[in-house]
Amino acid sequence: MLETKDILETIGMIQNECLDVRTITMGISLMDCADSDISRVCDKIYDKICRKAEKLVKTGEDISCEYGIPIINKRVSVTPIANVLASCGGDPIKIAYALQKAANTVGIDFLGGYSALVQKGFSAGDIELINSIPQALSETSNICSSINIGSTKAGINMDAVALMGKIIRQTAELTADRDCIGAAKLVVFCNAPDDNPFMAGAFHGMGEADTVINVGVSGPGVVRAAVAKYPNATISEIADVIKRTAYKITRTGQLVGTEASKRLGVPFGIVDLSLAPTPAIGDSVAHILEEMGLETCGGYGTTACLAMLNDAVKKGGVMASSRVGGLSGAFIPVSEDAGMISAAERGILTLQKLEAMTAVCSVGLDMIAIPGDTSADIISGIIADEAAIGMVNSKTTAVRIIPAIGKKQGDTLNFGGLLGYCPIMKVNEGSPMKFISRGGQIPAPMQALKN
């Protein structure tokens, strides 16, 4: 039973502490769109997305108005397009155009799933789709792409790692006139989840129902405000504060997801309870860590604080919903977090420290700008290191990195909106070229042998 104080507390979180539902994402299977003719595939894809997601945006807006909960994005994720392409062959750009047309028709913010799963090798359609990514992301505005190059069960596909270093550079080059925005819509995963509602990594997994609704919540500002009320608490007490706060945030996501599922007649999938920051002051994961006692995010103690935060968020969230999934934890995107931006500008938060932090947080190296002359081999080396952390620790890791073409360390990229802006960070220039060029597969670790 809801009490008046609970309602008032939630209203305060929304008005003063940046609580929102970051996204309602409808996952749509495209497996029944397979056909030997790529033109018919495109027509089927367009028709199905428009039919299934026709009321998604209006439903999100209606729920937001009725409950007073901001719902920032309405999105769609689809079956990895490489799997659909395998049925027809041909130019995958045609499918990218069909996806963009569908996104325009239903009015969504982003559409994810221009993707391939190549952790153990390439199958039909994979290479063609990956090679088309730079053009696809430069010629569309709402399409997002992801490639899974490794997993704990399969190991790491080093041929895919080498290829993705080149693809990221090419994507940045083709969108250099728009602050390299194409690379901001491309993520390389290890252990990619099937039910992630957050972009750019969302796709509709092969084991999912035909259509589902997944919800991604936010709320770093709410957690920071809660921690600030206990300046003299012990770490164990702070962990309890975060758990209670994460519970309340997740209940909001559960409410929105349940209501959207009922109104759209689509099964409710999961709530992803990740703390997703924005460039707005006060809505920062870095500021939570600093409220715990760090002078600046990126200093010594940051990884320990982040580990505790991530664990407490998960523990609080799973008590609030039996449908927790996706990534669920704390995101640390540099460009989207005011505290991370500030720490990076001062040189306290470095790429090396971010890599250490990714061992204990939700995802990985996210929305990081690097000098425009960084070679494809170095980008591949960064991807390989991050994938190794995910593979060995049986967790999702990812790289969304933006080579700032024509710019150098100390300059900035400015994307606007939720993507924010970021300082261009220093990169270690020691070359991994020979290692990357060997190709092959890094074998799965002992953790894979669990049967």
Side-chain angles (χ1 to χ4, degrees), residues 295-376:
E295 181 180 20
T296 304
C297 177
Y300 295 114
T302 297
T303 306
C305 282
L306 183 60
M308 188 270 280
L309 171 65
N310 210 51
D311 180 67
V313 166
K314 290 176 188 290
K315 287 175 177 173
V318 297
M319 291 298 293
S321 173
S322 59
R323 293 180 174 272
V324 170
L327 299 162
S328 290
F331 288 170
I332 53 171
V334 174
S335 79
E336 300 173 24
D337 187 305
M340 298 283 180
I341 293 168
S342 175
E345 286 176 333
R346 286 177 285 158
I348 297 172
L349 183 65
T350 65
L351 200 53
Q352 287 82 359
K353 185 61 177 178
L354 280 165
E355 182 181 299
M357 293 164 67
T358 64
V360 299
C361 76
S362 273
V363 194
L365 298 172
D366 195 16
M367 288 303 292
I368 294 167
I370 59 175
D373 60 357
T374 305
S375 71

Side-chain angles (χ1 to χ4, degrees), residues 59-394:
T59 299
E61 291 171 349
D62 289 346
I63 293 171
S64 183
C65 288
E66 289 175 31
Y67 289 92
I69 300 170
I71 300 174
I72 306 303
N73 281 308
K74 296 84 182 175
R75 302 166 172 170
V76 166
S77 63
V78 298
T79 303
I81 292 300
N83 292 0
V84 182
L85 184 65
S87 70
C88 60
D91 186 357
I93 295 297
K94 293 180 180 179
I95 298 180
Y97 293 156
L99 293 173
Q100 181 62 57
K101 182 182 176 184
N104 292 341
T105 300
V106 299
I108 54 175
D109 298 284
F110 290 105
L111 192 154
Y114 200 76
S115 307
L117 311 179
V118 297
Q119 57 268 25
K120 210 168 182 179
F122 302 102
S123 60
D126 291 337
I127 292 288
E128 292 82 356
L129 180 125
I130 292 172
N131 284 331
S132 75
I133 287 173
Q135 183 184 354
L137 297 187
S138 68
E139 296 181 3
T140 61
S141 55
N142 301 83
I143 306 307
C144 293
S145 180
S146 58
I147 305 297
N148 193 68
I149 52 85
S151 72
T152 300
K153 283 288 187 182
I156 301 172
N157 180 349
M158 290 302 293
D159 294 313
V161 169
L163 179 56
M164 288 312 300
K166 298 172 185 174
I167 293 297
I168 289 171
R169 267 206 64 88
Q170 291 170 17
T171 305
E173 288 166 356
L174 285 181
T175 54
D177 60 330
R178 288 162 278 167
D179 271 346
C180 309
I181 186 66
K185 298 186 293 176
L186 171 59
V187 59
V188 183
F189 275 117
C190 178
N191 288 321
D194 287 348
D195 53 6
N196 167 27
F198 286 104
M199 300 295 169
F203 62 86
H204 188 68
M206 302 302 291
E208 297 285 308
D210 184 71
T211 311
V212 297
I213 286 290
N214 297 322
V215 172
V217 297
S218 183
V222 178
V223 175
R224 184 205 58 78
V227 173
K229 295 173 185 175
Y230 300 89
N232 300 314
T234 66
I235 291 297
S236 336
E237 291 166 342
I238 290 297
D240 285 337
V241 169
I242 295 170
K243 283 188 286 186
R244 291 196 299 270
T245 306
Y247 176 91
K248 295 169 186 174
I249 294 170
T250 307
R251 291 302 291 174
T252 302
Q254 174 85 8
L255 169 65
V256 169
T258 302
E259 193 64 25
S261 169
K262 182 172 67 176
R263 296 187 187 193
L264 291 166
V266 172
F268 179 27
I270 57 96
V271 177
D272 187 319
L273 50 95
S274 297
L275 296 180
T278 72
I281 300 301
D283 198 28
S284 160
V285 170
H287 289 160
I288 299 174
L289 305 181
E290 290 166 4
E291 200 65 61
M292 290 181 191
L294 297 178
E295 181 180 20
T296 304
C297 177
Y300 295 114
T302 297
T303 306
C305 282
L306 183 60
M308 188 270 280
L309 171 65
N310 210 51
D311 180 67
V313 166
K314 290 176 188 290
K315 287 175 177 173
V318 297
M319 291 298 293
S321 173
S322 59
R323 293 180 174 272
V324 170
L327 299 162
S328 290
F331 288 170
I332 53 171
V334 174
S335 79
E336 300 173 24
D337 187 305
M340 298 283 180
I341 293 168
S342 175
E345 286 176 333
R346 286 177 285 158
I348 297 172
L349 183 65
T350 65
L351 200 53
Q352 287 82 359
K353 185 61 177 178
L354 280 165
E355 182 181 299
M357 293 164 67
T358 64
V360 299
C361 76
S362 273
V363 194
L365 298 172
D366 195 16
M367 288 303 292
I368 294 167
I370 59 175
D373 60 357
T374 305
S375 71
D377 292 313
I378 287 178
I379 296 171
S380 292
I382 293 170
I383 293 170
D385 283 346
E386 198 58 32
I389 291 173
M391 175 184 72
V392 171
N393 290 289
S394 301

Side-chain angles (χ1 to χ4, degrees), residues 3-74:
E3 297 183 4
T4 302
K5 64 174 182 149
D6 295 323
I7 296 171
L8 292 174
E9 183 179 33
T10 302
I11 292 171
M13 290 176 178
I14 291 168
Q15 292 180 340
N16 304 318
E17 298 165 6
C18 303
L19 174 63
D20 59 53
V21 169
R22 184 55 48 85
T23 178
I24 295 178
T25 301
M26 177 178 281
I28 302 174
S29 172
L30 300 182
M31 294 308 294
D32 56 351
C33 298
D35 197 288
S36 59
D37 184 286
I38 193 167
S39 296
R40 287 197 295 268
V41 168
C42 292
D43 290 342
K44 290 180 180 181
I45 287 174
Y46 174 79
D47 290 342
K48 184 167 187 180
I49 293 172
C50 291
R51 185 174 70 254
K52 293 289 186 178
E54 177 185 11
K55 299 179 180 178
L56 176 63
V57 172
K58 185 178 186 304
T59 299
E61 291 171 349
D62 289 346
I63 293 171
S64 183
C65 288
E66 289 175 31
Y67 289 92
I69 300 170
I71 300 174
I72 306 303
N73 281 308
K74 296 84 182 175

